[in-house]
Amino acid sequence: MNPPLIFVLNGPNLNLLGTRQPEIYGHETLDDIEALCAETADALDLAIDFRQTNVEGELISWVQEARSMAAGIVINPAGYSHTSIALMDALLASDLPVVEVHLSNIHRRESFRHLSYVSRAAQGVICGLGPHGYALALRGIAGILAQSEQD
């Protein structure tokens, strides 16, 4: 039996991690985060499909793809958190468990970052814990999936 597949989706500018504002986002790269996710998923008996895009429509298409392929979604929507109703709608339509991740604590930053449309579609939100938040998000998805099997 194949392990449940989790889409780990990353939005705009996350390809610049390690060099973009390291005082906010840290020195780890997106490749470092992908390795952490792969290690965490393996320990949880999950499979991951890890992706990043700077294009809103592509991110939405991936969420729609997840509807038929994945058991859940971990998403760092980055700047689209605060602007994309279309992404929120796609996540809501997915009927999948969603955990939203942010490397920084969006509530300690500029006021426009305090609102996340994506949060309306998420079972949980993890922010401010850096790359470790991704590992926690995968643990959260694993717990949600285990609970749904028991129900």
Side-chain angles (χ1 to χ4, degrees):
M1 176 182 261
N2 292 331
L5 177 63
I6 308 302
F7 275 30
V8 181
L9 304 178
N10 295 277
N13 298 312
L14 292 171
N15 56 307
L16 300 176
L17 287 177
T19 59
R20 176 182 175 238
Q21 296 178 284
E23 68 281 3
I24 295 174
Y25 300 109
H27 294 281
E28 292 86 359
T29 66
L30 196 59
D31 287 341
D32 295 333
I33 293 172
E34 183 175 7
L36 172 65
C37 287
E39 180 182 319
T40 303
D42 188 52
L44 295 168
D45 197 29
L46 298 172
I48 61 166
D49 187 339
F50 192 96
R51 305 177 187 188
Q52 186 277 329
T53 184
N54 293 318
V55 179
E56 182 179 18
E58 186 170 33
L59 192 58
I60 291 166
S61 292
W62 290 345
V63 169
Q64 291 176 359
E65 182 183 341
R67 291 180 70 187
S68 62
M69 294 182 59
I73 299 171
V74 169
I75 187 167
N76 182 341
Y80 293 138
S81 308
H82 324 292
T83 63
S84 184
I85 293 169
L87 179 58
M88 175 194 70
D89 286 346
L91 289 163
L92 288 168
S94 76
D95 291 325
L96 293 172
V98 174
V99 177
E100 178 182 4
V101 177
H102 296 280
L103 294 166
S104 67
N105 183 344
I106 61 174
H107 303 290
R108 294 185 73 184
R109 298 189 59 198
E110 305 92 338
S111 62
F112 71 86
R113 296 185 194 275
H114 298 178
L115 171 67
S116 170
Y117 291 108
V118 169
S119 295
R120 295 185 57 93
Q123 277 75 11
V125 179
I126 300 168
C127 66
L129 299 177
H132 185 63
Y134 282 82
L136 293 173
L138 286 167
R139 291 188 185 287
I141 287 279
I144 291 167
L145 295 175
Q147 183 62 46
S148 69
E149 285 179 11
Q150 292 178 5
D151 291 344

